[in-house]
Amino acid sequence: MNQVVIPIVVEGGGRERKRRQPKGRQVDPAALSEVRQLLGDAPRRRDLLIEHLHAIQDHFGQLATPHLAALAQEMRMAQTEVFEVASFYHHFDIVREDADGHIAAPQALTVRVCEGIACEMAGATSLLERLPALLGTDVRVLAAPCIGRCERAPAVLVGQHPVDAATPAAVQACVEAGTVRHDPEPYLSYDDYRAQGGYRLLQALEQGETDADALIAVMENSGLRGLGGAGFPTGRKWRIVRAEPAPRLMAVNIDEGEPGTFKDRVYLERDPHRFLEGMLVAARVTGVAAIYIYLRDEYAGCRAVLTEALAQLRAAPPVPGLPEIHLRRGAGAYICGEESAMIESIEGKRGMPRLRPPYVAQVGLFGRPTLEHNFETLYWVREIVERGPEWFAGQGRHGRKGLRSFSVSGRVRRPGVHLAPAGITVRELIDEYCGGMLDGHAFYGYLPGGASGGILPAAMGDVPLDFDTLQPHGCFIGSAAIVVLSDHDRAVDAARNLMHFFRDESCGQCTPCRVGTAKALDLIRQPAAAWDLAALADLSAVMRDASICGLGQAAPNPVDCVIRYFPHELAPVTAVAPVAQEGQP
């Protein structure tokens, strides 16, 4: 390569100097060779940037700046574009050269301790304090946002291997054994799923035994709504997207990052093909040309399950002409659970929500009309069609219709995913499905919709749990994540945990959310009796009115609920005079 000589003219008649290379970071030939060898024949498309960043970090244990610069050149992108994407996501570890140009070797292992609300209640804080000294300097111990194992709190990831109900000794044993991968448990295989009638619905659609209009009508009559949190009617969504011009695309959201939510993971680990059939049926009905599945990075076991299930499906397709199916890997960003932020991430960008309109059904992935669905919504398609829409709509309590998969964690005897009638109350859920409260614990309060759904007291434990029933109380059901608090807990502490999460997970795009979450956290870290209620009310109003997406709009919910429903926790503590001991004046 010829040396580049750039003349530089110094003002004031000074002598001309010549720069021997362009400004900015230069691409190291050795790093470029390593990146090229690692990527092999993989396309260098922009939408694969995050996949390529994962490949580099998986191989080298980190993202060294020479490799990032080499990747930018290889993909014909500006280095700033690559750096800004890599630095946006929690799971990418960027390492820069020191003053001497050396790059530190990665630590041997990363241990992530979940600090989500359920794990904090179960002792995660103690784990974070004890593990660094126990595991030594070669192991990096990090506090992590919810990792989706709330029913097994406290949860820890050793590399990619989950340690459930973690103790210091269990984590140490896992580290010493070198168990860092997550090998999934047995699940319903492709052959077994087919033997149980799997993919018959897809075949009936292909062979003309049923048609798109009939299936849309079934979804509409069943009352199935989006189960990722927004609750948009499924049949109506199919009809809207089908009417848009081709080519149409599909994006499936399995970025289950809401603290308290783990239902998608549980279903996916057991029966992946039921989801895949529902996905393919929806794609056929709406005329989708390609499908993109976005799976959160914490779910390494689910990624192995889906990778194998998709390979089985491609090797022996139940019908001809399946659409292209792309499995994309998140990188640790709660905001990517928002549909437009997820689409930005699939396109290889920072996961920042888009302003709407236009809506993703009209202008979505790669600018095309896009059918966006949560995993669980698609999981129910086959069963609703086989049993009939009346079966699903006929479920429910207290005037509500349908079924809900409640992710229950906290102070109950049997946490887990409980399939129960829509409209069930939290008291009924605890007593009938969760085996009651833990011994020595009395029901005190609950989160009806994960971190963003608010906090209600036990006195309001008879409110039906469903879409539209909680809004009058300043809450919502969202993805049906129920976290149960007992008299051993305080709503103030829960609100602090949740606002810490929102501050860290704000994408930073809009000022009301970026500044509001940080300021609110500073205010509520004060002793509860000293909370500035007027300032918190102002922050809440601004965040709700001016934030771009649901994160900023819902982030004030926990604090507002504490002020509204738990005022006794904010009351000043009255000093009690010590009782005089015998022999004292």
Side-chain angles (χ1 to χ4, degrees), residues 388-401:
E390 299 80 8
W391 164 78
F392 189 82
Q395 311 288 329
R397 290 188 189 177
H398 306 296
R400 311 303 298 179
K401 294 182 178 180

Side-chain angles (χ1 to χ4, degrees), residues 61 90 105 132 143 152 215 272 284 297 331 362 485 569:
H90 294 315
R152 303 174 183 181
L215 292 181
R284 285 289 170 114
D297 194 34
Q362 303 161 315
L485 309 180
E569 293 193 15

Side-chain angles (χ1 to χ4, degrees), residues 176-236:
E176 291 176 351
T179 308
V180 297
R181 296 185 56 180
H182 186 187
D183 296 321
E185 297 178 3
Y187 60 91
L188 190 64
S189 69
Y190 182 56
D191 291 339
D192 289 341
Y193 181 75
R194 293 289 299 272
Q196 297 177 13
Y199 292 105
R200 289 288 301 277
L201 174 58
L202 182 63
Q203 291 171 335
L205 184 59
E206 170 69 20
Q207 296 164 6
E209 298 172 17
T210 187
D211 60 27
D213 289 327
L215 292 181
I216 290 176
V218 168
M219 293 299 110
E220 290 175 333
N221 293 334
S222 72
L224 179 66
R225 297 171 65 171
L227 297 173
F232 193 87
T234 301
R236 191 193 308 173

Side-chain angles (χ1 to χ4, degrees), residues 233-569:
T234 301
R236 191 193 308 173
K237 182 179 284 189
W238 289 10
R239 197 176 294 279
I240 290 171
V241 173
R242 188 177 177 223
E244 293 293 324
R248 294 174 285 275
L249 302 175
M250 185 174 184
V252 182
N253 191 338
I254 323 181
D255 193 63
E256 189 175 45
E258 181 76 14
T261 308
F262 47 89
K263 60 183 177 61
D264 294 352
R265 189 206 87 232
V266 170
Y267 287 142
L268 179 53
E269 288 175 336
R270 297 174 183 174
D271 195 357
H273 286 283
R274 185 174 298 271
F275 149 68
L276 291 174
E277 182 171 12
M279 179 187 77
L280 291 170
V281 167
R284 285 289 170 114
V285 167
T286 55
V288 161
I291 301 170
Y292 291 79
I293 302 172
Y294 190 85
L295 178 67
R296 69 180 310 203
D297 194 34
E298 290 86 347
Y299 287 176
C302 291
R303 188 164 63 251
V305 168
L306 265 182
T307 299
E308 184 176 11
L310 288 171
Q312 295 166 344
L313 194 61
R314 295 185 184 107
V319 297
L322 293 179
E324 292 183 3
I325 304 173
H326 305 272
L327 178 58
R328 292 296 176 83
R329 179 178 170 186
Y334 166 71
I335 191 62
C336 291
E338 195 276 340
E339 62 178 7
S340 65
M342 175 190 67
I343 285 172
E344 289 285 298
S345 189
I346 292 173
E347 293 180 355
K349 305 171 187 175
R350 294 175 294 171
M352 290 190 168
R354 299 175 179 177
L355 292 171
R356 289 169 287 189
Y359 297 95
V360 299
Q362 303 161 315
V363 182
L365 190 56
F366 305 119
R368 300 307 310 163
T370 301
L371 178 66
E372 190 276 340
H373 266 313
N374 168 257
F375 166 92
E376 194 200 351
T377 310
L378 299 170
Y379 186 84
W380 284 107
V381 168
R382 174 190 165 189
E383 193 154 3
I384 288 174
V385 174
E386 289 181 347
R387 295 197 180 197
E390 299 80 8
W391 164 78
F392 189 82
Q395 311 288 329
R397 290 188 189 177
H398 306 296
R400 311 303 298 179
K401 294 182 178 180
L403 290 167
R404 296 288 175 268
S405 300
F406 293 97
S407 304
V408 185
S409 60
R411 310 297 192 178
V412 295
R413 289 182 179 175
R414 290 200 301 269
V417 176
H418 297 289
L419 184 63
I424 193 172
T425 70
V426 73
R427 289 188 190 277
E428 294 168 337
L429 189 65
I430 292 170
D431 293 341
E432 298 175 31
Y433 291 83
C434 301
M437 298 291 293
L438 287 172
D439 292 340
H441 290 256
F443 181 37
Y444 177 68
Y446 65 108
L447 282 62
S452 54
I455 310 173
L456 291 175
M460 299 179 66
D462 296 319
V463 177
L465 297 173
D466 197 13
F467 297 115
D468 311 320
T469 61
L470 294 157
Q471 280 86 337
H473 309 291
C475 298
F476 57 82
I477 192 171
S479 57
I482 313 295
V483 184
V484 179
L485 309 180
S486 78
D487 55 348
H488 293 215
D489 307 304
R490 295 196 311 160
V492 163
D493 294 331
R496 288 172 177 147
N497 175 286
L498 302 175
M499 192 57 71
H500 170 78
F501 171 81
F502 288 131
R503 183 204 62 181
D504 288 355
E505 294 299 325
S506 173
C507 74
Q509 179 177 193
C510 66
T511 302
C513 179
R514 181 184 67 251
V515 177
T517 53
K519 181 61 176 178
L521 180 60
D522 287 343
L523 288 172
I524 67 173
R525 277 177 169 165
Q526 303 300 316
W531 281 15
D532 187 337
L533 301 186
L536 286 169
D538 285 345
L539 274 175
S540 175
V542 171
M543 292 169 70
R544 292 181 189 281
D545 292 342
S547 294
I548 288 174
C549 80
L551 191 157
Q553 294 162 12
N557 281 346
V559 176
D560 289 351
C561 284
V562 168
I563 296 170
R564 181 176 179 183
Y565 297 117
F566 300 87
H568 57 281
E569 293 193 15

